[in-house]
């Protein structure tokens, strides 16, 4: 019976280490997703600006940017 308990303890230890490593990896992956989301938001807003410039003309888009940013 002692061998079974040792095997169970070893398995529990290995599983705990595995869970800790996976938790660290998950945190890194989540941080990268968050960074990517911020970057995609910036790209989306830049795309809206380009669409505005194409549809309304560069003069209208420039005036709009001046009003928004107070230039």
């Amino acid at each position: 019976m002692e061998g079974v308990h040792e095997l169970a303890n070893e398995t529990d230890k290995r599983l705990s280490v595995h869970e800790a490593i996976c938790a660290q990896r998950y945190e890194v992956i989540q941080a990268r997703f968050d960074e990517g989301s911020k970057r995609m938001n910036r790209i989306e807003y830049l795309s809206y600006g380009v669409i505005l410039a194409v549809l309304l003309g560069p003069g209208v888009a420039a005036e709009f940017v001046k009003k928004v940013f107070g230039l």
Side-chain angles (χ1 to χ4, degrees):
M1 269 312 209
E2 222 172 276
V4 172
H5 291 295
E6 288 177 20
L7 181 60
N9 288 338
E10 179 66 24
T11 302
D12 286 342
K13 186 171 102 176
R14 290 177 59 204
L15 185 57
S16 294
V17 170
H18 175 76
E19 288 174 343
I21 291 171
C22 286
Q24 288 174 344
R25 288 179 181 167
Y26 178 77
E27 288 177 17
V28 171
I29 291 168
Q30 190 61 45
R32 285 187 172 194
F33 277 144
D34 292 341
E35 291 171 10
S37 179
K38 290 177 187 175
R39 185 172 182 217
M40 288 304 293
N41 283 338
R42 275 182 283 180
I43 291 170
E44 181 180 7
Y45 292 134
L46 287 172
S47 298
Y48 290 147
V50 170
I51 291 169
L52 181 69
V54 168
L55 292 178
L56 301 178
V60 175
E63 289 300 317
F64 178 75
V65 169
K66 285 179 185 178
K67 287 180 184 179
V68 168
F69 293 109
L71 300 175

